[in-house]
Amino acid sequence: MTVKLVVGLDGADTGDRALAFAKDMAARMEGCELIVAYVIEWSPYTFQTPEENAQRHKRREEEIATATSRVVDPAVKSLQDAGFNAEGVVRHGDVAETLNAITVENGAVQIIVGRASAGGFAKRLFGSSTQNLVMHADVPVTVVG
């Protein structure tokens, strides 16, 4: 039976620590697959003209390509070079909701993310996206400091 873990990356050191933790965890399991995920914060709730929507769609595709080439592909290649079964995904959306959706869609059993610091007491502890993920995810969430 394949056990799947989702690793949420943010393009920063926190994501690198989450990835290192996931590698260590996966190395202890037989048949573990790592799904490396990067979510670009995106709200569909803005009112724009058709021209602005066309530009927004183009920008969205560019953001996905950039995140894939700069963050996800190098992480997946590193995992595969180390002998892990890994794949990557980049999506737009609310970070917590989207990471949870990726997890459910892939039948993963856990989400691993890094702790982020953005200000305020709760945000200093977890980061707002991480806090929302911990509170609402359908599977256990490991937050790596």
Side-chain angles (χ1 to χ4, degrees):
M1 180 174 137
T2 300
V3 174
K4 296 181 182 182
L5 306 175
V6 170
V7 185
L9 297 186
D10 59 3
D13 291 344
T14 55
D16 293 341
R17 290 192 299 273
L19 191 60
F21 181 87
K23 281 174 68 173
D24 184 55
M25 192 172 180
R28 299 168 194 260
M29 298 182 206
E30 190 172 325
C32 185
E33 180 180 332
L34 296 168
I35 301 165
V36 178
Y38 185 94
V39 179
I40 302 164
E41 190 72 39
W42 185 270
S43 173
Y45 304 108
T46 57
F47 298 98
Q48 299 176 340
T49 66
E51 295 80 19
E52 289 170 324
N53 282 334
Q55 286 294 343
R56 190 174 194 212
H57 179 73
K58 180 180 177 189
R59 189 173 63 246
R60 183 176 170 172
E61 296 304 315
E62 290 169 352
E63 289 173 343
I64 288 173
T66 299
T68 300
S69 66
R70 291 186 183 172
V71 179
V72 173
D73 284 351
V76 169
K77 183 177 181 337
S78 170
L79 289 167
Q80 290 172 341
D81 289 350
F84 292 97
N85 184 5
E87 64 180 76
V89 61
V90 177
R91 291 202 190 146
H92 281 92
D94 174 81
V95 173
E97 288 177 11
T98 305
L99 280 176
N100 189 58
I102 291 167
T103 302
V104 171
E105 289 165 15
N106 287 281
V109 299
Q110 186 169 8
I111 303 170
I112 302 166
V113 294
R115 182 183 70 217
S117 298
F121 180 73
K123 289 182 183 178
R124 273 183 276 156
L125 253 169
F126 294 113
S128 61
S129 294
T130 305
Q131 182 180 17
N132 288 335
L133 182 63
V134 168
M135 291 189 307
H136 302 290
D138 291 328
V139 299
V141 177
T142 299
V143 181
V144 180

